[in-house]
Amino acid sequence: MKHIYKAGKDASAPTLLLLHGTGGTEQDLLPLAAIIDESASVLSVRGNVSEHGMPRFFRRLAEGVFDEEDLVYRTHELHEFVNQAAAEYEFDRDNVIAVGYSNGANIAGSLLFHIPQSLRGAILHHPMVPRRGIQLPDLSNTPVFIGAGRNDPICSPQETEELAALLEGAGASVAVNWEYGGHQLTRTEVKAASDWYREQFKK
């Protein structure tokens, strides 16, 4: 998978797995990583699927309707890529925090839903529920931040609350930060994610 890896100054800090939104690239969330933890290593990945020339992490059938078969396949593909990257770049595979926006947040959520111990934690900006009707792995001791918009036309507040409930039901510790805007990523949301990260992982 196309990617950027940057070794951090602090080898004990988590590696931030950056996952862009639809139409983004591996460059998009690098400024976000610098705000969250400038000392951390960064693995920023470009989605392997193209939708009318726009990179994505998995196919969809329509707006908000996921191709579930492709989602599961791409989730395992990403998981294997991170495993390989950990071996190549010599970072701790058990200390990876996903930072995803929109489509990237959805594939990060799918890692949590499908693959035990795939992530130590996650920052999900405007995610949807990846799949319904499946048994989630044990997510005890897995902190998850969800950034959401009260007026998000793509991801409704009800969707956010459903996702939070599913994650909590699997044992995750979930913090939801509400903004009054839509699907865009705001400075105040990024600040809230950064504060949460420091509280969870920098004590």
Side-chain angles (χ1 to χ4, degrees), residues 36-180:
I36 291 168
D37 188 349
E38 63 181 3
S39 68
S41 296
V42 169
L43 179 64
S44 189
V45 184
R46 183 186 296 195
N48 259 356
V49 171
S50 177
E51 180 181 89
H52 308 299
M54 298 185 297
R56 279 177 57 85
F57 287 98
F58 58 89
R59 289 197 296 265
R60 58 183 170 182
L61 305 176
E63 181 76 62
V65 182
F66 300 162
D67 180 332
E68 290 195 6
E69 184 178 345
D70 191 61
L71 170 64
V72 173
Y73 173 79
R74 299 296 177 182
T75 299
H76 285 274
E77 177 185 60
L78 177 60
H79 175 65
E80 286 305 315
F81 171 76
V82 177
N83 290 347
Q84 293 164 13
E88 179 181 349
Y89 298 117
E90 300 181 337
F91 61 82
D92 183 355
R93 181 63 185 86
D94 295 325
N95 196 16
V96 174
I97 310 296
V99 181
Y101 166 64
S102 193
N103 180 243
N106 294 336
I107 194 83
S110 186
L111 283 169
L112 293 172
F113 268 49
H114 291 105
I115 304 174
Q117 281 87 52
S118 56
L119 297 170
R120 183 180 168 197
I123 295 174
L124 308 178
H125 294 289
H126 302 264
M128 297 176 67
V129 175
R131 286 183 79 197
R132 292 174 170 86
I134 65 168
Q135 180 70 38
L136 272 63
D138 179 8
L139 294 174
S140 301
N141 303 314
T142 306
V144 179
F145 173 94
I146 297 176
R150 292 282 183 195
N151 298 296
D152 191 330
I154 296 171
C155 177
S156 70
Q158 293 79 10
E159 179 108 11
T160 299
E161 288 161 359
E162 181 185 355
L163 176 60
L166 288 168
L167 291 168
E168 286 171 343
S173 170
V174 181
V176 181
N177 178 76
W178 291 101
E179 302 283 324
Y180 284 97

Side-chain angles (χ1 to χ4, degrees), residues 10 12-18 32-42 95-99 120-123 125 143-145 175 189-203:
D10 182 359
S12 68
T15 295
L16 302 180
L17 173 63
L18 306 183
L32 203 61
I35 294 169
I36 291 168
D37 188 349
E38 63 181 3
S39 68
S41 296
V42 169
N95 196 16
V96 174
I97 310 296
V99 181
R120 183 180 168 197
I123 295 174
H125 294 289
V144 179
F145 173 94
E189 184 176 320
V190 172
K191 172 71 164 56
S194 175
D195 291 347
W196 173 87
Y197 172 89
R198 288 191 180 91
E199 185 180 309
Q200 296 293 330
F201 303 110
K202 300 294 279 188
K203 289 178 182 176

